[in-house]
Amino acid sequence: MIVWLQGNFLPLEEARIDPTDRGLTLGDGLYETIRVHGGKPLRFSAHCARLQRGTDLLGLPYPTTDLGGVIAELLSRNDLADALVRLTLTRGRAPRGLASPKLPQPTLLIAAYPFPGPVAPCKAIVATVTRRNQASPLSAVKHLSALDNILAKREAEKHAVDDAILCNTCGDLAESTIANLHIVKHGKILTPRVEDGALPGVMREFLISDFGVLPTRLVAADLLEADEVFLSNASGIRPVIAVDGQTIGSGEEGPMTARIRAAVN
Amino acid sequence: MIVWLQGNFLPLEEARIDPTDRGLTLGDGLYETIRVHGGKPLRFSAHCARLQRGTDLLGLPYPTTDLGGVIAELLSRNDLADALVRLTLTRGRAPRGLASPKLPQPTLLIAAYPFPGPVAPCKAIVATVTRRNQASPLSAVKHLSALDNILAKREAEKHAVDDAILCNTCGDLAESTIANLHIVKHGKILTPRVEDGALPGVMREFLISDFGVLPTRLVAADLLEADEVFLSNASGIRPVIAVDGQTIGSGEEGPMTARIRAAVN
């Protein structure tokens, strides 16, 4: 596997992250996961725009690297046309402590992974172990401090299901550990609001603009009363067929989910 | 600088963190900062106990390494007797995604830094940029997903003060970006409760047991009405003499703070 790190293409095993990198020591950074189909990064400008919102919030310089050019070369060197590209940007090496380094030297790492292909319909739980912090502006950017999502994912693993849906500190639905959440009811598609803790996902934004998905305040009971439930992220659309052991709708992928999945995947 | 990484003492510049380490990619890990005085780690068993609570929460194996022995050797190799030791434990290298690795290979990194010495009294703000998530069990362990604290610290830097005090999502006081908070009023010492988002700091626990500090629900107004305000962490005690530009008490270190600082620093 060839990765790109700080201007160089090199084998993963030769790529070195410094132990004082703030990405490692403090989760101080951002990432993007970008779907590549037929050699082409999908919704690339939307990913760049979100990264820019993240760098603005964290006070990091936006990379001057030609990201599109690096990704194209990385795909070529790894012989990948169908891929997921992960871009990781950290505040870089720094002395101990939380103080902002005077001369920040951000670390930029780009890696490409084979696209794992379509996944089976999802069984989920509503996480009880933790809550998403809708009162933090971090809930609106894709960042490296992901431990709450990991705790929820581990709860899902304990229940032998695929994913967990997080509520915010008020008890409203926010998102799953790796995807935005959508509920189909009476022909409408509803999704939790950003102010309730939903990440403004690139695919979510596309569904709002092109499929009329409506950001709405939602609670866990709405899941069980839904006609269909599905998840979206850069990888695509995934139907949710059960939540907390209760069947959603018909227990199979619903027609609205199938239609959207066919249109975007 | 010599660090200890995965069983080896080596120069920092030769220590390599893999780009797929979950500490870097997802903030998936824990840390402890331990004060060393006269070659002796202070309150070491309390740090180990908190690390154990963290590994239990995250589902990481507690290190089998002789931590005390490694720290002693590390101090010797770096010629340090007065130091801060940072121990970092991550879930280690893993494939892309949030799923728990089937065979976790945790990364353990230990570094020792010269103790920076006593710091001047602190001016602080109450952070407005973000809130601490008291609804997450992560607020009770010392973990690598520290971005909310970094945002608050950056807000303090913009106001040219030393630290920021975080409220939780209900508006109650929780802690500062790097320390526990204490308020002296009518001879009593009050500190935010763990259930309100205070990290159960090792020094805080010592102050509760040995100095009668009382965990109490507190709000920002309590700061301005306090006789004294101070912070505590593994480095010691630090008086807070102003909050949001308003003087606290006499505007100098108060007698209670001075007494406690002399006793523990």
Side-chain angles (χ1 to χ4, degrees):
Chain A
M1 179 179 181
I2 303 292
V3 301
W4 183 94
L5 177 63
Q6 301 293 74
N8 300 302
F9 292 95
L10 68 179
L12 175 63
E13 51 275 16
E14 291 176 21
R16 173 186 177 274
I17 301 294
D18 192 271
T20 69
D21 193 292
R22 300 237 318 194
L24 177 81
T25 57
L26 296 167
D28 189 5
L30 302 161
Y31 74 103
E32 291 289 332
T33 303
I34 303 163
R35 169 87 162 94
V36 174
H37 182 65
K40 186 178 178 310
L42 303 184
R43 292 170 278 275
F44 183 58
S45 60
H47 283 287
C48 293
R50 185 173 58 191
L51 182 64
Q52 174 84 64
R53 294 197 299 274
T55 55
D56 289 348
L57 177 65
L58 269 57
L60 285 171
Y62 187 84
T64 54
T65 306
D66 168 17
L67 299 177
V70 167
I71 289 171
E73 175 73 16
L74 189 65
L75 293 166
S76 166
R77 292 197 185 214
N78 286 284
D79 198 19
L80 289 171
D82 233 25
L84 290 174
V85 167
R86 174 161 163 145
L87 184 158
T88 306
L89 177 69
T90 82
R91 205 179 300 274
R93 288 179 292 148
R96 203 191 61 78
L98 258 58
S100 302
K102 292 205 174 63
L103 291 169
Q105 304 169 286
T107 298
L108 181 59
L109 168 72
I110 308 179
Y113 300 82
F115 184 65
V119 286
C122 173
K123 295 180 180 179
I125 55 167
V126 176
T128 62
V129 65
T130 193
R131 298 290 183 104
R132 187 159 168 89
N133 185 359
Q134 79 289 349
S136 169
L138 293 172
S139 67
V141 303
K142 202 149 177 76
H143 61 78
L144 299 181
S145 284
L147 255 178
D148 273 310
N149 293 37
I150 290 168
L151 289 185
K153 173 70 174 177
R154 289 182 59 80
E155 188 179 3
E157 290 169 345
K158 276 176 199 153
H159 288 83
V161 296
D162 308 293
D163 204 351
I165 296 164
L166 288 120
C167 296
N168 67 21
T169 66
C170 303
D172 303 314
L173 296 174
E175 58 170 37
S176 97
T177 67
I178 54 160
N180 285 116
L181 176 70
H182 306 271
I183 288 177
V184 182
K185 183 74 178 175
H186 302 320
K188 285 186 179 159
I189 313 174
L190 311 174
T191 195
R193 305 180 304 177
V194 170
E195 55 263 49
D196 295 330
L199 178 76
V202 164
M203 183 67 88
R204 174 185 178 277
E205 287 176 11
F206 177 68
L207 297 182
I208 290 170
S209 65
D210 283 38
F211 287 85
V213 170
L214 294 166
T216 309
R217 190 170 174 180
L218 295 166
V219 296
D222 294 318
L223 290 167
L224 302 180
E225 293 166 9
D227 299 324
E228 305 175 31
V229 173
F230 67 91
L231 302 174
S232 74
N233 64 17
S235 292
I237 305 295
R238 187 178 196 186
V240 176
I241 57 169
V243 175
D244 287 339
Q246 303 231 39
T247 300
I248 303 295
S250 67
E252 295 181 357
E253 179 177 42
M256 183 78 88
T257 305
R259 187 166 71 83
I260 293 178
R261 189 164 63 82
V264 304
N265 274 17
Chain B
M1 179 180 181
I2 303 292
V3 301
W4 183 95
L5 177 64
Q6 302 291 76
N8 301 302
F9 292 96
L10 69 180
L12 175 63
E13 51 273 18
E14 291 177 21
R16 172 187 177 273
I17 301 294
D18 191 272
T20 69
D21 194 293
R22 299 234 325 190
L24 177 80
T25 58
L26 296 166
D28 189 4
L30 302 161
Y31 73 103
E32 291 290 331
T33 303
I34 303 162
R35 169 87 163 94
V36 174
H37 182 66
K40 187 177 177 307
L42 303 185
R43 292 169 278 275
F44 183 59
S45 61
H47 283 286
C48 293
R50 185 173 58 189
L51 182 64
Q52 174 85 64
R53 293 197 299 273
T55 55
D56 288 349
L57 177 66
L58 269 57
L60 285 171
Y62 187 85
T64 54
T65 306
D66 168 17
L67 299 177
V70 167
I71 290 170
E73 176 72 17
L74 188 65
L75 293 166
S76 167
R77 293 198 184 213
N78 286 284
D79 198 19
L80 289 171
D82 233 25
L84 290 174
V85 167
R86 173 161 164 146
L87 184 157
T88 306
L89 177 69
T90 83
R91 206 179 300 275
R93 288 179 294 149
R96 203 190 61 79
L98 258 59
S100 302
K102 292 205 173 61
L103 291 169
Q105 303 169 285
T107 298
L108 181 58
L109 168 71
I110 308 179
Y113 300 82
F115 184 66
V119 285
C122 172
K123 294 181 181 178
I125 56 167
V126 176
T128 62
V129 64
T130 194
R131 298 291 183 103
R132 187 159 167 90
N133 185 359
Q134 80 288 350
S136 169
L138 293 171
S139 67
V141 303
K142 202 150 177 74
H143 60 79
L144 299 181
S145 284
L147 256 177
D148 273 311
N149 293 37
I150 290 168
L151 289 186
K153 174 68 174 176
R154 289 182 60 80
E155 188 179 1
E157 289 168 347
K158 276 175 200 154
H159 288 83
V161 297
D162 308 294
D163 204 352
I165 296 164
L166 287 118
C167 297
N168 66 20
T169 66
C170 303
D172 302 315
L173 296 174
E175 58 172 35
S176 97
T177 68
I178 54 160
N180 285 117
L181 176 70
H182 306 271
I183 289 177
V184 182
K185 184 73 180 173
H186 301 319
K188 285 185 178 159
I189 314 173
L190 311 174
T191 193
R193 305 179 303 176
V194 170
E195 56 263 49
D196 295 329
L199 178 76
V202 164
M203 183 68 88
R204 174 184 178 276
E205 288 175 11
F206 176 69
L207 297 182
I208 290 169
S209 66
D210 283 38
F211 287 85
V213 170
L214 294 165
T216 309
R217 190 170 175 180
L218 295 166
V219 295
D222 294 319
L223 290 166
L224 302 180
E225 294 166 9
D227 298 324
E228 304 176 31
V229 174
F230 67 90
L231 302 174
S232 74
N233 64 18
S235 292
I237 305 295
R238 187 177 196 186
V240 177
I241 57 169
V243 175
D244 287 340
Q246 302 231 38
T247 300
I248 304 295
S250 66
E252 295 182 356
E253 179 177 43
M256 183 78 87
T257 305
R259 187 167 70 84
I260 293 178
R261 190 164 63 81
V264 305
N265 274 17

